[in-house]
Amino acid sequence: MISFNIRSAGYVVGKNVLKNLSGEIEDHTTTMIIGRSGGGKTTLILALTGILTNLLEGWVDGEIILKQLDPLDPEDFKSIPKIVGAVLQDPDKQISMPTPWDEISFVLENLGYPPEEIDRRVSQMLREAGLEHKAFHEIEKLSGGEKRRVTYAASVAHDPEIIILDEPTASVDPWGIKTLRDFVRRYRGEKTIIVIEHKPDYFIDYVDKIIRIENGMIKEVYKPSERDYLEKKFSEYDQDLSCVSKTVSNNKILETKDLVIGYDKPILKDISIELYEKEIIVITGANGSGKTTLMKTLIGWLKPFDGEIKIYGRSMRKRKDLLKTFFYISQQPDYMFLSNTVENELRSGRGLSEDLFNMFPWKNILKENPYKISFGQRRWLSILLGLVYQRKILVIDEPSAGLDPDLYKDLVRFLMSLVDKYNISLIISTHDPRIIRDLAHRVYHIDHVKNKIMEIDKEKILKMMYEAAMS
């Protein structure tokens, strides 16, 4: 059993992130934790596992018992990795080794497993995660969703009693989500599972209890007997926002002709796409199919093997010309930050600073370090900073990752307002069907079997994604 009575907790003494939380999580149950971005969900997990106090120099005023261990005690904390497997919110901050094989092996080696057992378990976990064919690929060349699968495999390779999944579906394709759902269903009732999730529909059928955290406190606890209430409450997730603009220009800003892209060798060929002024196009496809590689090629970071990229009908051969048109916002928001406070980041906008401040929802964290705010807050900030460079085309990788349902709605309206106010166009790579439904004028889908990209009907791709994830 996990029991906790946290009077207050945080990262800096005097600044409470959690306050007056108490409760129990019974053995062999599945609990889902929900709530707004920045509300304290991840901090609670860090406190329960002892990471907050033992590794992050944070503090907890209270008592926590995790399977008869006190994770706040440095000696007991040494035993926590043996019984807990955690998939953290940000895979880039969790992975430390150069390949998937090395990452999983590293966990088992630290726990004292013999070499033969390590080889067996690593092979098994890579197979279950769908990464067997990329066992020795460089981590840096994996997609965000593939990195997420690596952290999942490494975290459960030692067969822990407690499994913690922090935003497990972020940046994961529908097929990967199905794998995660199957995993939770497989271990439900056998292990203690805690899932933090902004898309509760994916796991609601498998949970025994749902805890809602707001402003660092537990606001509500739902029980299975309240299933009808829960389904009504979460139906907002499927609400069609109908924000697709009707003001697309007839001026073609981007056109690619027979583009061939890849790193060491071609992975996609015959890429022909178009983008018009004030248009939003979405690119979809399985993890590792080439979405991010395409984006990096368009903005000039990677050189195509063949084909051409045209801007307003003029062929762009030089990297500097592409950089004048595009700005890329990575799915890893931390790459965007240069200052030590959120306020200073927003002030970097020069003539746009007032607009940036007005469009940032969390005025209470302006003095915080941008690396220490929640993932959803960092995601929003990174998109805002993309405006500073005043490019005609913003290329955004997984914009909705880490955002709660309310904040997602704000994001949709926010992105649409950027298009209208600044007369820009957007290219969005995503696995989130809501983005396709609510924002896309057109959709291009990468078929990872045929290694080709083609325009696809919105309703067709939405049905395909839903069936893949929920089957």
Side-chain angles (χ1 to χ4, degrees):
M1 176 179 291
I2 302 171
S3 63
F4 55 95
N5 178 29
I6 301 175
R7 290 176 285 277
S8 57
Y11 300 89
V12 180
V13 175
K15 292 186 177 181
N16 294 356
V17 177
L18 304 177
K19 45 196 173 185
N20 301 322
L21 287 90
S22 62
E24 293 181 345
I25 296 176
E26 294 78 13
D27 288 341
H28 312 303
T29 62
T30 300
T31 300
M32 183 157 58
I33 301 176
I34 62 173
R36 296 215 64 175
S37 299
K41 303 182 300 298
T42 296
T43 304
L44 174 59
I45 294 302
L46 296 176
L48 293 180
T49 54
I51 294 174
L52 180 61
T53 52
N54 290 281
L55 299 181
L56 300 181
E57 299 181 350
W59 58 278
V60 173
D61 175 18
E63 299 81 36
I64 300 172
I65 297 297
L66 198 74
K67 288 283 185 178
Q68 300 181 337
L69 294 173
D70 178 2
L72 305 181
D73 178 79
E75 285 303 313
D76 277 6
F77 177 69
K78 295 176 182 178
S79 299
I80 296 297
K82 297 177 182 178
I83 63 170
V84 175
V87 176
L88 302 182
Q89 194 175 44
D90 186 346
D92 284 299
K93 291 184 177 179
Q94 184 168 358
I95 297 173
S96 58
M97 302 304 285
T99 71
W101 183 281
D102 293 330
E103 180 69 19
I104 302 170
S105 298
F106 182 64
V107 173
L108 297 172
E109 287 168 0
N110 283 336
L111 294 174
Y113 283 82
E116 321 81 58
E117 183 66 7
I118 290 176
D119 288 347
R120 186 189 71 79
R121 290 189 179 227
V122 172
S123 297
Q124 176 187 341
M125 294 315 304
L126 287 170
R127 187 166 52 252
E128 291 183 7
L131 291 171
E132 196 172 19
H133 62 300
K134 294 193 175 183
F136 299 101
H137 284 216
E138 294 178 34
I139 288 289
E140 291 306 313
K141 292 185 178 180
L142 299 184
S143 71
E146 288 171 330
K147 291 178 184 178
R148 173 71 68 175
R149 293 190 191 191
V150 172
T151 61
Y152 147 72
S155 297
V156 300
H158 59 297
D159 196 24
E161 298 177 57
I162 300 170
I163 299 172
I164 298 173
L165 307 173
D166 193 352
E167 285 291 326
T169 65
S171 304
V172 177
D173 63 42
W175 298 271
I177 290 173
K178 181 183 184 303
T179 299
L180 285 167
R181 281 169 43 84
D182 289 345
F183 173 81
V184 172
R185 179 171 55 214
R186 171 184 171 187
Y187 288 110
R188 181 190 180 197
E190 179 181 335
K191 297 182 181 295
T192 303
I193 302 174
I194 302 174
V195 181
I196 297 177
E197 185 56 68
H198 287 310
K199 303 168 191 170
D201 282 9
Y202 286 136
F203 298 104
I204 189 173
D205 290 337
Y206 306 140
V207 301
D208 301 294
K209 180 168 60 178
I210 298 178
I211 299 173
R212 178 183 289 274
I213 294 180
E214 300 289 350
N215 299 317
M217 299 183 289
I218 294 177
K219 290 297 184 182
E220 296 176 280
V221 178
Y222 311 115
K223 298 178 180 179
S225 59
E226 301 172 279
R227 183 57 54 87
D228 291 342
Y229 168 69
L230 288 174
E231 290 178 349
K232 181 180 179 181
K233 193 172 189 67
F234 294 146
S235 65
E236 63 184 25
Y237 173 76
D238 290 322
Q239 181 182 351
D240 190 335
L241 300 182
S242 301
C243 286
V244 178
S245 171
K246 305 297 191 294
T247 59
V248 176
S249 165
N250 291 323
N251 294 328
K252 187 188 296 182
I253 185 172
L254 167 69
E255 181 180 12
T256 70
K257 289 273 192 177
D258 302 323
L259 206 61
V260 180
I261 66 169
Y263 285 91
D264 303 323
K265 60 182 180 180
I267 59 172
L268 281 177
K269 300 179 180 180
D270 305 323
I271 302 171
S272 297
I273 63 175
E274 297 176 341
L275 177 70
Y276 291 82
E277 289 181 345
K278 300 186 71 172
E279 185 181 27
I280 301 175
I281 64 171
V282 167
I283 299 173
T284 70
N287 288 131
S289 61
K291 299 185 299 300
T292 299
T293 304
L294 173 57
M295 290 182 155
K296 289 180 177 179
T297 304
L298 291 176
I299 65 174
W301 286 10
L302 295 175
K303 186 177 181 179
F305 286 90
D306 199 2
E308 62 179 335
I309 301 171
K310 292 183 177 181
I311 302 296
Y312 288 117
R314 187 166 67 92
S315 184
M316 297 284 114
R317 299 294 182 184
K318 295 182 179 179
R319 181 172 180 262
K320 65 178 182 179
D321 294 329
L322 292 171
L323 291 173
K324 290 177 182 178
T325 303
F326 295 91
F327 188 82
Y328 174 62
I329 302 173
S330 166
Q331 59 183 289
Q332 173 45 267
D334 292 2
Y335 294 164
M336 296 284 293
F337 306 145
L338 299 173
S339 301
N340 59 355
T341 68
V342 172
E343 183 176 29
N344 287 340
E345 290 289 351
L346 294 173
R347 290 194 187 284
S348 68
R350 300 182 291 277
L352 288 175
S353 288
E354 184 177 347
D355 283 355
L356 300 186
F357 275 101
N358 289 337
M359 290 185 285
F360 189 71
W362 303 276
K363 301 300 189 288
N364 61 317
I365 63 170
L366 292 177
K367 301 296 184 183
E368 298 293 331
N369 188 310
Y371 296 101
K372 293 187 177 181
I373 60 180
S374 79
F375 187 84
Q377 291 166 334
R378 301 200 312 271
R379 196 76 192 94
W380 190 286
L381 179 60
S382 70
I383 295 172
L384 272 179
L385 295 177
L387 293 176
V388 171
Y389 299 87
Q390 301 184 40
R391 301 294 191 258
K392 290 292 293 182
I393 302 174
L394 281 186
V395 181
I396 312 177
D397 209 347
E398 295 290 352
S400 60
L403 302 184
D404 62 68
D406 290 333
L407 200 54
Y408 165 77
K409 296 174 187 177
D410 292 339
L411 173 77
V412 169
R413 299 183 181 100
F414 166 56
L415 291 177
M416 201 66 257
S417 71
L418 296 186
V419 171
D420 291 335
K421 182 173 182 177
Y422 298 103
N423 294 316
I424 60 176
S425 303
L426 304 182
I427 300 176
I428 298 175
S429 169
T430 189
H431 297 300
D432 191 338
R434 299 172 300 174
I435 291 286
I436 296 172
R437 180 194 65 197
D438 297 330
L439 279 174
H441 291 101
R442 292 182 299 116
V443 181
Y444 288 94
H445 177 66
I446 298 176
D447 187 321
H448 62 284
V449 177
K450 298 179 180 178
N451 292 327
K452 297 194 70 173
I453 185 170
M454 63 200 77
E455 188 171 348
I456 188 170
D457 177 74
K458 282 177 62 170
E459 294 302 321
K460 182 177 179 180
I461 188 63
L462 286 171
K463 181 180 179 182
M464 183 190 306
M465 294 173 78
Y466 178 81
E467 290 178 348
M470 304 300 286
S471 62

